Amino acid sequence: MDRRAFNKLLGGLAAASAAPARLSAAPSRRIRRIATEEAFTIPGHVTAMRALAAGDSREPDLDFWRGLSGRNSFGEKLLPRLLDVEQIRLAEMDRNGIDMQLLSLTSPGVQMLAPSDAVAMATQANDVLRDIVSRHPTRFAGLATIAPQDVAASVKEMERARHSLGLSGFIINSHTNGEYLDDQKFWPLFEAAEALDGAIYLHPRAPSPAMAEPYRPHRLEAAIWGYQAETGLHALRMIMSGLFDRFPKLQIVLGHGGEGLPYWLTRIDRRHVARQAMVPTRLARLPSEYFKSNFTITTSGLFSPEVLKYCLTVLGPERVMFAIDYPYEEMDEAARFIEEMDIGEREQRLVLEENAMRLFHIAPA
Amino acid sequence: MDRRAFNKLLGGLAAASAAPARLSAAPSRRIRRIATEEAFTIPGHVTAMRALAAGDSREPDLDFWRGLSGRNSFGEKLLPRLLDVEQIRLAEMDRNGIDMQLLSLTSPGVQMLAPSDAVAMATQANDVLRDIVSRHPTRFAGLATIAPQDVAASVKEMERARHSLGLSGFIINSHTNGEYLDDQKFWPLFEAAEALDGAIYLHPRAPSPAMAEPYRPHRLEAAIWGYQAETGLHALRMIMSGLFDRFPKLQIVLGHGGEGLPYWLTRIDRRHVARQAMVPTRLARLPSEYFKSNFTITTSGLFSPEVLKYCLTVLGPERVMFAIDYPYEEMDEAARFIEEMDIGEREQRLVLEENAMRLFHIAPA
């Protein structure tokens, strides 16, 4: 038996034994588990990021790459798992009943590289992703990396990614050189995403240089706090800029429970209305209305049954998707989180499978 | 009938008519509604803040005082309500069945003034507060303003506030000149608070200068987003510094649904544990354990039944208190929020009355 056949068999066994009791009774078809924020990298990307990290830049994102270079459990565990897709990862997916991963180049993608290097690296990473997806079309899908520092080239790469490479959508890792996507110079990216029916996953990176300093004590600039502070602000800036009035079909995905925004919708709306006299905006709708129609959130890195329930209540089950954040989070913990979801079967079906299928053009099983 | 007697009568009538049906049946005693984050100011404070606002500082907090000076609905509505306590406010409380307000000098308190001015202004504001509370001991309690820019003088003022003025606790408005309370030079304030059994309300102000820039577009530095970004970071810095191992009885209060921290506890713990190899800390417990034993959150400015339920579930009903954020929020909306709370009677009793009584030394009715 070759490795693929073995993996398939193992996957079937794991999936069968992992299916929760309450699901095995009623439904005619097992719910697939599609994880939608799963990181990988390629050797060229690691080399480029390590070269940046060897310099004297104080950008907090580089601390991560310095850590990755070290001989510690962080570097020894994460780096092999980021570079691997078809060995360690598929076996872990099989063991934990994860049917499919939507892959994306790990943060900060190519956004810290010089523009021409960034465009070339994005092309290379997207080609690798196409190859992986071609070899395992039922196990992997992919989000195309783009380089917002070259908008025109990125628009071309977005077209290539959707039309030629068969990729599912796009990923942008928050700010690019301290600039945010509410700046109209970036809006051709949204025009392209809308035209190509490709959602953009707005993935975190550490706070931009103009806000990073107060996060440095206790190293709070990383995933423990700074990631959401950076990305939640970014998403709100996008909403308040009016770009969703201009591109009403644009779909943005936010990981980590929507980077905190779902918790704040009542206050954001109330403050927005209360300050119209002081801060007039041209928004056609309330901020929360854009959030509920132009955003989908995922469970990456936030395996809390209470947060999940809260989000299902305030956003509705069509706006919440399963994600792990592999390899930064463990698949077995994600699988346990699924087992402990105390939600209805329709909600499980939407969260684990159908929302991802619809948003990312994933074929039926 | 004089004004006080009239107000008392009106208050009784309003309270009786406002009591929700589900409460009037069972309990022997009506639940008091104690609102715990209610702002006031004094003329000298307005003059001092306006003088700062007339200068060329770009501190985002000053935009608020520039707005207050203008002839617009913001300035015309807020300023009279901040300066008033016994006229407009008491009548509004009576109309809306709010029994008691815990008053505090509005943000940023005295924290932007020169140290000696700040100490003098805090003394003056606390004296005014003592007079208000003395005149209306069943309607008002107060938190003492302190000036963290002079730690030694603040410790003396904290002792005076608790021992001589009969105030309930203390308020600090996030950063002071860009410095945060995890810096050990501020820790005598926590030693005093613990010894005096006085909780510290960590109230928001706009992001500190070293992180303010990315919040300026769309004016996101204010209550719509920046307040919680600043204050949530501040609270997490306090937790990660280990100060709650040093002062285990210290009690901190966070408004606005705990400034977002309750949403993130699962992720904070997980990331804290995962990165121990990279970022060793000396914390004796998990971050969430400090949050659940050293913090109480309030509903100020976030009248969401879903957020309330979420917080009751993850923190427990002893850790959630009612607050309005008057005059920035409307009392009638707060009263409606209370009516729509779909929680048990025990939870209502704790949230609306008993947690505040215990934490802030408020006498039984």
Side-chain angles (χ1 to χ4, degrees):
Chain A
M1 191 183 286
D2 70 13
R3 173 172 287 274
R4 262 172 91 179
F6 176 75
N7 278 341
K8 201 175 164 190
L9 175 66
L10 192 65
L13 291 170
S17 69
R22 68 175 165 283
L23 293 184
S24 55
S28 54
R29 185 174 61 72
R30 184 182 157 277
I31 299 172
R32 278 190 300 176
R33 297 167 173 193
I34 304 176
T36 55
E37 186 198 313
E38 315 310 325
F40 82 110
T41 190
I42 56 176
H45 185 234
V46 176
T47 304
M49 293 308 298
R50 278 179 166 167
L52 283 178
D56 55 5
S57 164
R58 291 196 75 229
E59 278 258 21
D61 282 299
L62 294 176
D63 290 342
F64 170 76
W65 295 91
R66 292 186 185 109
L68 265 194
S69 308
R71 279 190 173 270
N72 53 43
S73 63
F74 206 58
E76 285 174 6
K77 185 176 144 197
L78 283 180
L79 193 55
R81 288 171 160 203
L82 283 168
L83 285 165
D84 161 84
V85 170
E86 295 170 283
Q87 304 300 321
I88 312 168
R89 185 181 311 236
L90 263 181
E92 277 199 67
M93 288 167 64
D94 293 340
R95 271 200 304 279
N96 291 288
I98 306 299
D99 296 272
M100 196 171 200
Q101 280 197 353
L102 179 68
L103 299 170
S104 47
L105 187 66
T106 199
S107 184
V110 300
Q111 290 166 239
M112 293 183 71
L113 307 180
S116 61
D117 294 345
V119 169
M121 182 71 69
T123 305
Q124 193 190 339
N126 294 336
D127 285 344
V128 169
L129 205 42
R130 183 261 325 267
D131 292 344
I132 295 167
V133 174
S134 302
R135 285 198 296 275
H136 308 275
T138 64
R139 306 306 301 277
F140 295 113
L143 296 177
T145 294
I146 62 173
Q149 55 272 64
D150 186 334
V151 172
S154 288
V155 167
K156 281 188 194 152
E157 182 64 8
M158 290 167 83
E159 287 163 359
R160 188 179 80 100
R162 289 284 296 131
H163 290 153
S164 306
L165 304 182
L167 296 179
S168 296
F170 315 102
I171 188 164
I172 298 177
N173 301 283
S174 200
H175 79 86
T176 304
N177 297 320
E179 294 184 314
Y180 291 81
L181 297 166
D182 55 331
D183 187 328
Q184 296 207 13
K185 75 179 183 185
F186 294 117
W187 290 19
L189 302 175
F190 300 126
E191 188 179 5
E194 196 182 47
L196 294 163
D197 194 12
I200 296 176
Y201 206 119
L202 187 72
H203 186 281
R205 58 182 292 197
S208 60
M211 65 182 272
E213 287 310 317
Y215 293 83
R216 293 192 193 272
H218 325 294
R219 293 283 299 273
L220 298 183
E221 71 278 9
I224 193 170
W225 193 251
Y227 276 25
Q228 62 90 0
E230 161 71 15
T231 317
L233 172 64
H234 198 158
L236 187 57
R237 283 179 60 155
M238 289 169 67
I239 290 172
M240 300 307 288
S241 75
L243 75 84
F244 296 104
D245 288 328
R246 179 92 159 269
F247 308 108
K249 291 182 187 164
L250 179 64
Q251 294 299 318
I252 304 293
V253 182
L254 291 174
H256 316 99
E259 309 297 355
L261 280 162
Y263 195 76
W264 291 105
L265 295 177
T266 308
R267 182 158 167 84
I268 292 168
D269 279 355
R270 166 79 186 127
R271 289 289 100 210
H272 171 68
V273 170
R275 70 182 197 162
Q276 279 294 325
M278 290 275 288
V279 188
T281 65
R282 289 155 303 171
L283 295 186
R285 304 160 71 194
L286 288 172
S288 71
E289 294 179 296
Y290 299 105
F291 196 80
K292 291 174 184 174
S293 53
N294 295 95
F295 287 79
T296 304
I297 71 152
T298 83
T299 65
S300 61
L302 189 50
F303 303 149
S304 159
E306 291 81 17
V307 170
L308 175 66
K309 271 194 188 180
Y310 172 84
C311 288
L312 289 172
T313 302
V314 301
L315 305 177
E318 288 85 3
R319 293 284 166 187
V320 182
M321 283 188 299
F322 174 62
I324 300 171
D325 206 352
Y326 179 91
Y328 305 105
E329 300 291 340
E330 303 293 339
M331 278 197 221
D332 59 349
E333 290 191 19
R336 199 155 48 236
F337 170 60
I338 293 177
E339 300 306 324
E340 290 168 2
M341 280 181 187
D342 182 23
I343 62 177
E345 196 217 311
R346 174 172 168 264
E347 284 74 19
Q348 285 220 7
R349 197 169 284 284
L350 288 165
V351 169
L352 293 172
E353 179 176 19
E354 291 178 2
N355 292 337
M357 289 175 64
R358 189 184 66 247
L359 202 57
F360 294 123
H361 314 282
I362 292 170
Chain B
M1 191 186 282
D2 69 15
R3 174 171 286 274
R4 262 172 92 179
F6 176 76
N7 277 341
K8 201 175 165 190
L9 174 66
L10 191 65
L13 290 171
S17 69
R22 68 179 166 282
L23 293 183
S24 56
S28 55
R29 186 175 61 72
R30 184 182 158 275
I31 299 172
R32 277 190 299 175
R33 296 167 173 192
I34 304 176
T36 55
E37 186 198 312
E38 316 310 324
F40 83 110
T41 190
I42 56 177
H45 185 235
V46 176
T47 304
M49 293 308 298
R50 279 179 166 167
L52 284 179
D56 55 5
S57 164
R58 291 195 74 229
E59 278 258 22
D61 281 298
L62 294 177
D63 290 341
F64 170 76
W65 295 92
R66 293 187 185 108
L68 265 193
S69 308
R71 280 190 173 270
N72 53 44
S73 62
F74 206 58
E76 285 175 5
K77 185 176 145 197
L78 283 180
L79 193 55
R81 288 169 160 207
L82 283 168
L83 286 165
D84 161 83
V85 170
E86 294 170 283
Q87 305 299 321
I88 311 168
R89 185 181 311 236
L90 263 180
E92 277 199 66
M93 288 166 65
D94 292 340
R95 270 201 303 279
N96 291 288
I98 305 300
D99 295 271
M100 196 170 198
Q101 280 198 352
L102 180 68
L103 299 170
S104 47
L105 187 66
T106 198
S107 183
V110 301
Q111 289 165 239
M112 293 183 71
L113 308 180
S116 61
D117 294 345
V119 170
M121 183 71 70
T123 305
Q124 193 190 339
N126 295 337
D127 285 345
V128 169
L129 204 42
R130 183 259 324 268
D131 292 344
I132 294 167
V133 174
S134 303
R135 284 198 296 276
H136 308 274
T138 63
R139 307 305 302 276
F140 295 113
L143 297 176
T145 293
I146 61 173
Q149 55 272 64
D150 185 336
V151 172
S154 288
V155 167
K156 281 189 194 152
E157 182 64 7
M158 291 167 81
E159 287 165 357
R160 189 180 79 100
R162 290 284 297 131
H163 290 153
S164 306
L165 304 183
L167 296 179
S168 296
F170 315 102
I171 186 164
I172 298 177
N173 301 283
S174 201
H175 79 86
T176 304
N177 298 320
E179 294 184 314
Y180 291 81
L181 297 166
D182 55 330
D183 186 328
Q184 297 207 13
K185 76 179 184 184
F186 293 117
W187 290 20
L189 302 175
F190 300 126
E191 188 178 5
E194 195 182 47
L196 294 163
D197 194 12
I200 296 176
Y201 206 120
L202 187 72
H203 185 281
R205 57 182 292 196
S208 60
M211 65 183 272
E213 287 309 317
Y215 293 84
R216 293 192 194 272
H218 325 294
R219 293 285 297 275
L220 298 183
E221 71 277 10
I224 192 169
W225 193 251
Y227 276 25
Q228 61 90 359
E230 161 71 14
T231 318
L233 172 65
H234 198 158
L236 187 57
R237 283 179 59 155
M238 290 169 67
I239 290 171
M240 301 307 288
S241 74
L243 76 84
F244 296 103
D245 288 329
R246 180 92 158 269
F247 308 108
K249 292 183 187 164
L250 179 64
Q251 294 299 318
I252 305 292
V253 182
L254 291 174
H256 315 98
E259 308 297 355
L261 280 161
Y263 195 77
W264 290 105
L265 296 177
T266 308
R267 182 158 167 84
I268 292 168
D269 279 356
R270 167 77 187 128
R271 288 289 100 208
H272 171 68
V273 170
R275 71 183 196 162
Q276 279 293 325
M278 290 274 288
V279 188
T281 65
R282 288 155 304 169
L283 294 187
R285 304 161 71 194
L286 287 172
S288 71
E289 293 179 295
Y290 300 106
F291 196 81
K292 290 175 185 175
S293 54
N294 295 96
F295 286 79
T296 304
I297 71 152
T298 82
T299 65
S300 61
L302 190 50
F303 303 149
S304 158
E306 292 81 16
V307 169
L308 176 66
K309 271 194 188 180
Y310 173 83
C311 288
L312 289 172
T313 302
V314 300
L315 305 178
E318 288 84 2
R319 293 285 167 188
V320 182
M321 283 187 299
F322 174 61
I324 300 170
D325 206 351
Y326 179 91
Y328 305 105
E329 300 292 339
E330 303 294 338
M331 278 197 220
D332 59 349
E333 290 192 19
R336 199 155 47 235
F337 169 60
I338 293 177
E339 300 305 324
E340 290 168 1
M341 281 180 186
D342 182 22
I343 63 177
E345 197 217 310
R346 174 173 167 265
E347 284 75 17
Q348 284 221 7
R349 196 169 285 283
L350 288 165
V351 168
L352 292 173
E353 180 176 19
E354 292 178 2
N355 292 337
M357 288 175 65
R358 187 183 67 249
L359 203 57
F360 293 123
H361 313 283
I362 292 170

